Amino acid sequence: MEIISNSVEETFEFGRKIGQNLTGGKILCLLGNLGAGKTTLIKGIAAGAGAQNPHLVTSPTFVMVNEYQGRFTIFHIDAYRIKSIAEFEALGFSDFISPESVVIIEWADKVFAALKGLDCVDIQMRHKGENSREITLIGLDF
Amino acid sequence: MKSEINILGIETSCDETAAAVVRDGCEILSNVISSQIEIHQKYGGVVPEIASRAHIEKIYPIVAQAIAQAGIAQKDIDAVAVANQPGLTVALIVGLTAAKTLALVLEKPLIAINHIHAHLQSAMMETKDLRLPAVALVVSGGHTSLYECENALELKLLGSTIDDAAGEAFDKVASILNLSYPGGPSIEKAAATGNPKAIDFPRTMLGKDSLDFSFSGIKTAVLYHCQGQDMKAGSLAGQMTQQEISDIAASFQAAVVDVLVKKTRKAADKVGAKTILLGGGVAANSALRSELEKMAQKTGRVLLVAPKKYCTDNAVMIASLGYHKYKAGIFADMTLEAKATSE
């Protein structure tokens, strides 16, 4: 599925739809440059997944992992600074995967090797203009 | 109760392994920080595996050194205070496990500390007559929050970032401009010779009454400025003159400081604050300090800033806040857990 979002609000709403259609056990791989709207999309996903306060979704660049509680636990990982698979594993990545949780990985391209063989939903966000973004979703239908 | 209270503080929430002994909340007997900045510079950021492994390797020697430097016997430690939230769970666990073990062995109470609250303790630690209420701003790589402060233990969150922390914006903008990590000092250095009015970067205020912050937009604005709105130009930073880079750094810093100062003033007006407290890694930024000082003077308030050496993560602030919890009889038990997000 491919959509064009023309605003922050539209990106959030698309995220909400993704969140509403998610079930536990999923791994979401998020690709997109700085400023592509990844945090906004994840706020929407958390809202759609029933998180009480999607406002609390912030960038985990420094802390590496954020956790939110909705219909399932959401582990929000930022791989922006991760340089090796060993570092990624040391975060506890394999412990996060369970039928009761969803793992979202920003900058997933940095850790592709650790995701091989896993059933991942791929989301790619591209700049199209100042406010417009092309969002491609593969592996989840609704 | 004996007259002198010695608290051992332990901090491992992100990239620093630190331990300190503080007497009566303000007398620093020891302060040991294993700065990992050299390791991280190689990778351009906080590297979790290195961070967590280093905590495990360093926690014992650092704690032993903190006790030895304090010149006290182990039995003279009255309680063990530890940062258990918020932070990187795998890192927090190292400090927490060490603290529990010590508390058990020494048969002393365990005290749970919120890392962000402790940053504010750094700002009020040396003040005997704190005029209350106060408004407190914590700005770091991972946090940007405003609190109403009734005393060291009673903090009410007024607002926080809804996307990127201010320190993260400094780091990402530094990366866009090809400046070195950590971004705070390198932006400040570049900004010193730049024109803060060269580019009018957006000040995201999130509505007239909001005390929340958003620094994602300004990061994107800097990116567009360097790469064009369709992002087709690629990174132009490499082709820019030193003056152009300095102007962008100065204009970016001015915009961030502007938002931080305006929001802090709004919060101070709202709660009738007599004092403004500033802590966290970005509190080391001179432009932020001087603009907040101007605002405080203009509005008849006192600004208390954490001393530069206690702005970044340290265990003195953990032990100091631990003292106030000790006096208030607020202790944790052995079921204490590490929490990624603040309660």
Side-chain angles (χ1 to χ4, degrees):
Chain A
M1 180 186 325
E2 197 171 288
I3 68 138
I4 299 288
S5 163
N6 290 302
S7 67
V8 168
E9 292 74 21
E10 284 181 32
T11 299
F12 182 93
E13 281 310 315
F14 186 61
R16 188 200 296 274
K17 279 184 198 144
I18 295 173
Q20 283 165 348
N21 288 281
L22 274 179
T23 49
K26 294 274 188 209
I27 300 165
L28 272 56
C29 301
L30 202 45
L31 303 178
N33 207 328
L34 284 175
K38 296 186 291 297
T39 306
T40 301
L41 188 80
I42 296 171
K43 278 179 192 286
I45 293 173
Q52 288 302 314
N53 196 351
H55 198 64
L56 296 178
V57 174
T58 54
S59 167
T61 297
F62 263 75
V63 286
M64 313 304 306
V65 186
N66 281 344
E67 294 174 29
Y68 320 113
Q69 198 57 52
R71 296 195 309 275
F72 34 76
T73 303
I74 299 171
F75 291 101
H76 175 190
I77 304 178
D78 190 333
Y80 181 70
R81 293 186 161 99
I82 290 178
K83 294 285 190 279
S84 82
I85 298 308
E87 290 163 12
F88 184 63
E89 296 290 351
L91 275 181
F93 171 64
S94 47
D95 298 337
F96 296 154
I97 304 170
S98 90
E100 289 84 41
S101 66
V102 164
V103 183
I104 305 177
I105 308 164
E106 287 192 50
W107 300 93
D109 46 329
K110 308 224 174 199
V111 294
F112 267 154
L115 307 172
K116 268 187 194 149
L118 296 171
D119 185 16
C120 293
V121 175
D122 292 321
I123 305 169
Q124 180 126 32
M125 304 181 77
R126 288 190 188 87
H127 283 83
K128 280 283 161 190
E130 185 176 359
N131 292 314
S132 77
R133 304 285 186 271
E134 179 187 87
I135 308 175
T136 312
L137 174 68
I138 301 166
L140 185 71
D141 292 314
F142 50 84
Chain B
M1 196 180 284
K2 66 176 182 142
S3 56
E4 288 174 343
I5 305 297
N6 300 316
I7 308 285
L8 170 67
I10 296 176
E11 153 71 38
T12 60
S13 68
C14 195
D15 58 342
E16 299 287 10
T17 315
V21 178
V22 176
R23 178 170 291 167
D24 296 336
C26 59
E27 191 187 336
I28 298 153
L29 301 187
S30 66
N31 173 27
V32 185
I33 303 173
S34 148
S35 180
Q36 299 170 352
I37 207 97
E38 265 175 42
I39 302 171
H40 290 155
Q41 263 170 352
K42 215 164 75 183
Y43 297 99
V46 177
V47 182
E49 189 233 4
I50 291 175
S52 119
R53 191 176 62 204
H55 286 308
I56 293 168
E57 284 171 355
K58 290 174 183 166
I59 189 73
Y60 176 75
I62 295 258
V63 168
Q65 203 180 328
I67 296 170
Q69 278 183 11
I72 58 169
Q74 286 187 6
K75 65 173 174 51
D76 295 327
I77 293 168
D78 295 285
V80 183
V82 63
N84 76 313
Q85 63 174 306
L88 176 60
T89 311
V90 292
L92 284 166
I93 283 172
V94 177
L96 186 56
T97 307
K100 283 181 182 176
T101 309
L102 276 162
L104 273 175
V105 170
L106 302 174
E107 296 180 319
K108 300 292 181 184
L110 179 70
I111 298 170
I113 299 293
N114 179 309
H115 171 87
I116 310 181
H117 295 179
H119 269 303
L120 294 174
Q121 182 60 26
S122 302
M124 50 182 129
M125 201 164 59
E126 289 174 355
T127 304
K128 292 275 177 262
D129 54 342
L130 185 62
R131 293 171 69 221
L132 294 163
V135 150
L137 175 67
V138 189
V139 218
S140 68
H143 314 283
T144 304
S145 305
L146 270 170
Y147 290 90
E148 178 179 357
C149 174
E150 279 300 327
N151 58 52
L153 299 179
E154 285 175 73
L155 295 168
K156 189 177 137 207
L157 185 65
L158 297 172
S160 58
T161 182
I162 62 164
D163 40 53
D164 298 358
E168 178 183 338
F170 271 88
D171 273 331
K172 289 194 168 157
V173 165
S175 145
I176 293 168
L177 298 177
N178 292 334
L179 298 173
S180 62
Y181 176 88
S186 61
I187 295 262
E188 185 174 350
K189 196 173 159 213
T193 53
N195 173 9
K197 292 183 176 151
I199 305 134
D200 187 21
F201 286 126
R203 274 84 167 150
T204 309
M205 300 307 280
L206 301 169
K208 157 168 98 62
D209 298 321
S210 173
L211 293 174
D212 287 328
F213 299 91
S214 168
F215 292 108
S216 178
I218 187 168
K219 169 192 73 186
T220 310
V222 174
L223 190 73
Y224 286 159
H225 185 83
C226 295
Q227 303 194 9
Q229 287 189 356
D230 53 6
M231 303 278 291
K232 285 193 177 132
S235 178
L236 297 177
Q239 300 156 34
M240 287 178 183
T241 63
Q242 189 56 51
Q243 190 56 48
E244 283 173 306
I245 298 278
S246 291
D247 285 347
I248 296 171
S251 301
F252 160 78
Q253 179 176 273
V256 172
V257 166
D258 201 20
V259 171
L260 290 170
V261 172
K262 284 196 173 121
K263 294 265 178 183
T264 305
R265 177 170 181 176
K266 196 178 285 179
D269 289 348
K270 187 180 169 187
V271 307
K274 296 185 173 120
T275 303
I276 293 166
L277 301 164
L278 174 65
V282 182
N285 182 282
S286 305
L288 176 60
R289 285 175 173 239
S290 83
E291 289 304 313
L292 268 179
E293 183 60 52
K294 275 186 214 159
M295 182 273 277
Q297 279 183 10
K298 208 167 105 188
T299 59
R301 297 181 170 110
V302 177
L303 174 72
L304 296 176
V305 187
K308 279 199 180 181
K309 63 175 180 172
Y310 302 128
C311 281
T312 47
D313 292 352
N314 66 83
V316 166
M317 63 184 196
I318 305 294
S320 179
L321 184 53
Y323 169 76
H324 293 278
K325 285 199 148 181
Y326 182 92
K327 295 290 273 186
I330 305 168
F331 300 111
D333 63 31
M334 289 297 146
T335 62
L336 183 67
E337 288 182 348
K339 290 197 173 74
T341 42
S342 220
E343 272 178 338

